Amino acid sequence: MTDALLPNGIKDSGGDSSYFKKGCSPFAQTGRSKLQNKRAGVNQQIIKQMRMRAGAENLLKATSNNKVKEMVLLELSYVNSNLQLLMGQLEGLNSSVEVYQNTHETANIPLIALGLKETKEVDFSTPFKDIILEHYSEDGNNFEDEIADLMDLRQACRTPSRNEAGVELLAKYFSHLPLMESRFFSPNRQTGIFFTWYDSFTGVPVCQQNLSLEKASILFNMAALYSQIGTRSDRQTIVGLEEAISSFQKAAGVLNHLKETFTHTPSYDMSPAMLSMLIRMMLAQAQECLFEKTALPGIRNQFFSLLKMAQEAAKVSEIYDQVHQSMIQTPIKDNVPLFWSTMSQVKTNHYRSMAHYFVASALLDHPLGPSDDEDQQEKTLSQVYDRLPEGRSPLDILKKKEERERIGKAHIRTAILGHEEALRIYSLCHHLNKLEVLQDILKASHQRSLKKSSENESEEEFTDYMEAPDIISKTDHKAEMEVPAATKGPLSVFSAKQRWTAPRTIRLCTEDGDLGFTLKGESPVQVVSLDPLCPAAADGLKEGDYIVAVGDTDCKWMGVSEVMRLLKDVNEEGIDIQVVSMMDSNPPMPTKSATFCGNLPKTYSMICLAFDDDDKNPKSRKVTKKSSFISWGLKNKLKSASTLSLPTADHSGALPWNKPRPTFPSSSAYNNDSVLY
């Protein structure tokens, strides 16, 4: 039983070495592990109070004695009060994001991590031995070691380490579950094994005998672990930011797989509406890290660079606004911590204000000069605005100094108002008040905008109340869900869950050796970056199409390199390919799902939890090849003077323009003329 175990170097009271599996850290005394232990304690108290409430309600129904009824009602009010207090404690634990942040990082806006779902221990020994004897006519005692290994593996999954090894541990147990299901969980027989998992947000226990709850909960914890890895990453370095981006995208991918595969899970934290919100939040945090990665080397103090960063900041703000809107919908708002929705609202205002500040800086600090490319500036500015005030054009703004200053000052006023709103919202949430670094960054940004406004004010001017035009959000690097390894491949794409168009034949011809599109994906490959003017697009090829055949060769199972080899010899005559498009699928909503929550029969309609998700990227159930019976083991630069950077919560003082500034954003930045925020 120790083939997969490693010594942890800790001695127990008897002096013998203790062991735990790779990726498991049951004795870790970190802030995260202590927080998880508190969560487990609160969950136990919640189930105790729910049992007391169930007993009191049953007594209330059974008795006709008025005095007894009064006593029971008093007891019920006391129990309900305790439950409210415990729910508040659990919300506080879900709001304790500071323990998940990088320990050496004090200069970035904090990110939100999901807490792990807690579960009870499960004893597989007796039920499995009985099934082996009765169904397979073998002595169950011959498989004691294998069963014990499985129980050890599940126990280790309760305390995974916050790294890739922890994710691999959860993935390993998850890959065993289909094998367990095929051998021991027959629809015609009850095993007597109950899996109990606690809701991550409410602490309400959910208990079931089938493995669907177990599979879904392990997937949820994989996503939670990825989110914790993302928040722990060092966002002061490019490598750390890339790790954070990848982790949040993987978390979104796992949550999306959970949402598309397990639609009947009777736990509110894994309902379709809640998962849709969590997916949005993970992608928003990935987009925020992408923005930080773009800004980390410094932002060039030039017209085009500033407008580009304005649109990038507007994109982050837009995504966080979508997250906030999904958090305030019923029933999500009743279960999500207030801290989460407040944080998303603060970031919405903060990044929108940054966008307006960047546009203001571009207009006020970079007037059109004789050597500037007038046509290019006009084109760029026209792409920043969806609409302009009546009677104005981008060229008018660029050429007329008064118009340029009016629009620029309108943007800086909007930035100031947005920063003030972010600070006001911050002050309303007592959990946010613990994050001093967030307050420092918000104040630094506010002061920077105030300084820019004062630099461009004149005592002789009348107050102008012109509103700044809205900024179109745009990004060169959009955060997308990363498909976890367990769900990759054609079987996750070409499944019964998806709806497809009939294969279409497209004639590919080259123009100067260019097909007019690029490919991505492992298998099957997908068409991206399609030139709408290329011959293939004219023949009906669409962005996002999957290539299923090149000539007479089926390529559903081929990767990009293999398909490119088939396409490299395309000449002027061309070649036929077959493509399919994914159609919008609206699966029927599950009707009702019954379970036992805290020893209470609990039934609720999943229809009330339905949430319309605009970004659908369906995944399918993993198909696992079944191995032989009881086969448990699975194969196993210095910046130039024209470079700007963003303020951070670094209190070391201002740095000149030609010095590297690795942090983002800072409270001392408003003392530094070179930093734009």
Side-chain angles (χ1 to χ4, degrees), residues 114-117 157 160 163-164 166-175 197 215-229 247 250-255 257-258 282 484-487:
L114 301 179
L116 298 177
K117 289 173 69 71
C157 288
N163 50 35
E164 285 294 333
V167 176
E168 290 173 5
L169 181 70
L170 293 175
K172 181 178 180 181
Y173 178 62
F174 180 78
S175 67
W197 288 85
K215 293 176 183 177
S217 299
I218 291 295
L219 281 177
F220 185 94
N221 278 359
M222 286 177 65
L225 208 53
Y226 273 127
S227 73
Q228 293 178 16
I229 293 172
S247 297
K250 287 177 180 177
V254 174
L255 290 170
H257 177 59
L258 170 57
M282 293 298 112
T487 61

Side-chain angles (χ1 to χ4, degrees), residues 322-343:
Q322 294 172 359
V323 173
H324 175 67
Q325 293 303 320
S326 63
M327 284 183 178
I328 60 176
Q329 302 297 320
T330 305
I332 298 176
K333 67 178 182 180
D334 299 325
N335 296 316
V336 168
L338 176 64
F339 170 87
W340 287 18
S341 59
T342 307
M343 176 69 93

